[in-house]
Amino acid sequence: MASIKPSVPKGTRDFSPAEMAKRNFIFDTIKGVFRKYGYQQIETPAMEKLSTLTGKYGDEGDKLIFKILNNGDFLADGGINESNITADSKRLLPLIAEKALRYDLTVPFARYVVMHQNEIAFPFKRFQVQPVWRADRPQKGRYREFYQCDADVVGSDSLLNEAEFVMIYDEALSKLGLKDFTIKINNRKILSGIAQVIDKNDNIIDLTVAIDKLDKIGLDGVIKELLEKGFTTHDIEQLKPIILLEGTNDAKLASLRDALSESPTGLKGCDEVESVLNYIANCPLRTAKLELDITLARGLNYYTGAIFEVKTNEVAMGSIGGGGRYDDLTGMFGLKGLTGVGISFGADRIYDVMEELKLFPETAGETTRVLICCFDAEGEKYALPLLKRLRDNNISSELYPAGAKIKKQLDYANGKQIPYTIVIGSDEMRSGLLAFKDMNSGVQEKLSAEEIIKRLK
RNA sequence: GUGGAUGUAGCUCAGUUGGUUAGAGCACCAGAUUGUGGUUCUGGGGGUCGCCGGUUCGAGCCCGGUCUUCCACCCCA
């Protein structure tokens, strides 16, 4: 058989031991915070029914879902024949693919909640750390397979949840070593209010998508886009003072209340944001800047209340986290009136940021603490009980299989960054005093097994 | 989906207007050193120059296609 060049699919990666140590540092930190706030872990399958996923992420999102071709004779089983094979691929698709890789963790969670509603005690606080897949074109900070770390609450409309998510972001990212990041907060009701006061309720998507780009394409760019979408210069004149709000969060809120005085929905949104800010005021953040940003829209069309986005200010990178409240997500699966709010950490982007800022602790790569080196089968036999004692004392240790030169064994310890070695030869076996070597300083001493264990504990 | 770059040893990269047998550093293996690594010295293995095709007496170099990675747009974590 001709050998093929080994490679992985576009946008996917292998993770080697050094990378996994760093990735686990991120996952463990975030999971630890989730647990501390009372969230319980679940997992859902890598694949979902295609019908579960389609229509939840907008037309653009649907295109980015990885579909799984049906097994078996998918042409015959799907009833494909001369007449419908020529139909457009949108109609052909459900006939030949009934499964797809999950696109995010929120929709599968909504599906989970509806399926398990009778076993769940509400409010239900769950977290989930799993990969998701998107058929996007890869670029900086964008992969086709990446991990999300989600925490959501369903069955509670209290704004305390929103406030807690701000605290979770602050605590987890601070623990990871980020020094300067902003949690942006907005509220869908404020965006609705803005649309209402200019009488453009039907165009709220176009409106929010356009003003979301303010910091990227500037005011002129936004105006140009709005004009293309059918907004009048009169609408834009009304919008300008709203989207150009500046000052403290309180000042922005005061101006907004003024501008949205004709919109009860908009005022409700202002109240909600104010409540969250008040919770946080009582419980100061360690590192994060919390900023009301009314240009924050995010494409997901199911947010109904709070909207979150987290950005680092230390390196150029897209958002490293996002989330919001969705009042009717489970409604799509037939369970009405259940509200949910959640956030997500983008683990792979956080990794890239931390790598660039050199924030990973040195010890993240260290695994084995001590390597036992011996010369022959006799030494190996002598070393085995010691190895067990070390491990029983929770000291990760290895015994290099006998036969290799000591040079080779010490090279192995170096390559694996093992900080201590124990050399066992005939002298050592006779005296019971073992050659214990600190690989960093090069200092070697003769110590008993008890003393070595005491040193390593 | 649109546009622009990129690809030479395991890694980082040289490679002249197209011209003999494609190089360096690091890494790896062996020896100097039959009980001691990180330093040093000596030697060694490693390449279908991303892949396919074209132009040419001759292609790592020029042309077309394709794949990969990267960058921007769109969108997003």
Side-chain angles (χ1 to χ4, degrees):
Chain A
M1 200 207 294
S3 71
I4 52 159
K5 193 177 178 180
S7 62
V8 295
K10 184 204 283 270
T12 67
R13 301 154 299 158
D14 288 325
F15 300 112
S16 295
E19 290 159 333
M20 278 313 300
K22 296 178 192 172
R23 289 172 65 82
N24 281 330
F25 175 70
I26 295 175
F27 293 138
D28 292 345
T29 302
I30 293 173
K31 285 177 183 173
V33 174
F34 285 164
R35 289 203 185 90
K36 205 166 79 177
Y37 281 71
Y39 291 77
Q40 294 176 294
Q41 185 168 21
I42 68 160
E43 290 201 349
T44 61
M47 58 180 114
E48 291 280 346
K49 294 274 191 65
L50 180 57
S51 56
T52 300
L53 303 183
T54 43
K56 308 299 190 299
Y57 310 107
D59 286 343
E60 286 299 313
D62 282 355
K63 288 182 199 155
L64 300 181
I65 296 171
F66 275 106
K67 289 89 180 174
I68 299 171
L69 189 61
N70 288 348
N71 288 80
D73 190 343
F74 59 86
L75 285 181
D77 297 345
I80 310 298
N81 53 42
E82 293 262 328
S83 67
N84 60 15
I85 191 94
T86 53
D88 60 295
S89 38
K90 211 171 183 174
R91 289 174 56 191
L92 183 63
L93 182 63
L95 300 176
I96 60 173
E98 57 184 21
K99 299 178 292 301
L101 294 176
R102 79 164 95 70
Y103 178 89
D104 71 355
L105 300 180
T106 306
V107 169
F109 175 55
R111 194 262 310 145
Y112 171 95
V113 168
V114 176
M115 280 182 67
H116 298 268
Q117 52 186 289
N118 295 324
E119 322 154 16
I120 294 174
F122 293 100
F124 179 45
K125 300 168 79 172
R126 87 84 172 79
F127 77 90
Q128 191 170 351
V129 176
Q130 288 191 272
V132 303
W133 293 268
R134 295 183 189 177
D136 228 335
R137 190 179 279 210
Q139 53 179 277
K140 179 172 182 163
R142 173 174 298 178
Y143 307 98
R144 287 184 148 186
E145 177 183 64
F146 62 97
Y147 272 71
Q148 290 193 327
C149 312
D150 274 33
D152 291 78
V153 185
V154 283
S156 164
D157 61 6
S158 168
L159 295 165
L160 180 64
N161 297 305
E162 274 86 338
E164 281 211 332
F165 285 132
V166 173
M167 294 178 210
I168 287 174
Y169 271 137
D170 180 51
E171 181 166 341
L173 296 174
S174 299
K175 277 187 167 164
L176 289 171
L178 271 62
K179 305 272 184 315
D180 184 7
F181 56 94
T182 303
I183 302 170
K184 293 184 176 185
I185 184 173
N186 193 15
N187 195 293
R188 174 61 179 261
K189 295 186 179 80
I190 291 178
L191 295 171
S192 300
I194 294 171
Q196 231 166 51
V197 297
I198 61 164
D199 203 22
K200 288 283 179 186
N201 271 325
D202 300 340
N203 291 34
I204 183 162
I205 298 287
D206 288 339
L207 176 67
T208 54
V209 167
I211 66 177
D212 188 42
K213 295 178 192 162
L214 181 65
D215 59 342
K216 213 165 185 176
I217 60 177
L219 182 62
D220 293 341
V222 173
I223 291 173
K224 183 162 168 271
E225 181 157 333
L226 286 172
L227 289 173
E228 282 166 10
K229 297 289 183 184
F231 288 78
T232 66
T233 50
H234 177 68
D235 297 336
I236 289 165
E237 282 312 310
Q238 272 187 288
L239 277 173
K240 260 191 195 170
I242 301 175
I243 61 177
L244 290 177
L245 280 180
E246 286 196 1
T248 64
N249 292 335
D250 288 341
K252 287 181 190 169
L253 269 179
S255 312
L256 266 180
R257 283 217 165 85
D258 219 27
L260 301 178
S261 59
E262 299 300 309
S263 163
T265 305
L267 292 174
K268 178 97 194 316
C270 293
D271 290 345
E272 290 186 9
V273 169
E274 186 173 28
S275 297
V276 176
L277 295 177
N278 285 341
Y279 277 122
I280 296 300
N282 281 320
C283 198
L285 302 174
R286 324 176 168 201
T287 315
K289 298 183 175 73
L290 180 59
E291 181 191 330
L292 168 60
D293 180 358
I294 67 104
T295 70
L296 174 60
R298 302 177 49 78
L300 296 180
N301 39 23
Y302 49 68
Y303 289 132
T304 51
I307 304 171
F308 299 112
E309 182 168 277
V310 186
K311 290 209 69 176
T312 171
N313 302 317
E314 296 178 272
V315 298
M317 176 65 72
S319 62
I320 56 175
R325 182 173 284 275
Y326 35 87
D327 280 342
D328 200 32
L329 191 70
T330 56
M332 291 179 154
F333 300 112
L335 180 59
K336 304 280 184 202
L338 197 55
T339 179
V341 57
I343 55 166
S344 181
F345 288 85
D348 302 78
R349 284 188 178 174
I350 292 171
Y351 182 101
D352 290 344
V353 169
M354 290 178 65
E355 192 70 78
E356 201 167 329
L357 295 173
K358 304 196 190 322
L359 293 180
F360 287 108
E362 283 292 326
T363 52
E366 190 182 292
T367 50
T368 303
R369 290 208 68 214
V370 59
L371 177 74
I372 306 177
C373 309
C374 53
F375 295 92
D376 46 28
E378 201 189 333
E380 203 176 57
K381 214 164 158 188
Y382 181 95
L384 211 48
L386 171 64
L387 183 65
K388 179 170 160 46
R389 281 182 68 187
L390 287 165
R391 288 176 175 161
D392 284 348
N393 279 279
N394 213 26
I395 299 161
S396 28
S397 36
E398 294 181 62
L399 171 58
Y400 200 100
K405 289 181 182 171
I406 290 298
K407 172 178 162 54
K408 174 113 179 161
Q409 303 191 27
L410 294 179
D411 269 341
Y412 173 80
N414 271 336
K416 214 168 160 183
Q417 288 175 44
I418 298 173
Y420 301 98
T421 52
I422 298 170
V423 180
I424 298 176
S426 50
D427 291 354
E428 286 80 2
M429 285 188 273
R430 206 175 305 125
S431 66
L433 292 177
L434 312 177
F436 179 70
K437 183 164 194 167
D438 180 327
M439 294 297 281
N440 292 317
S441 67
V443 174
Q444 185 169 313
E445 329 169 49
K446 292 266 188 165
L447 297 174
S448 69
E450 282 76 23
E451 288 169 312
I452 289 174
I453 288 169
K454 210 191 297 178
R455 290 278 185 93
L456 292 174
K457 273 193 104 166

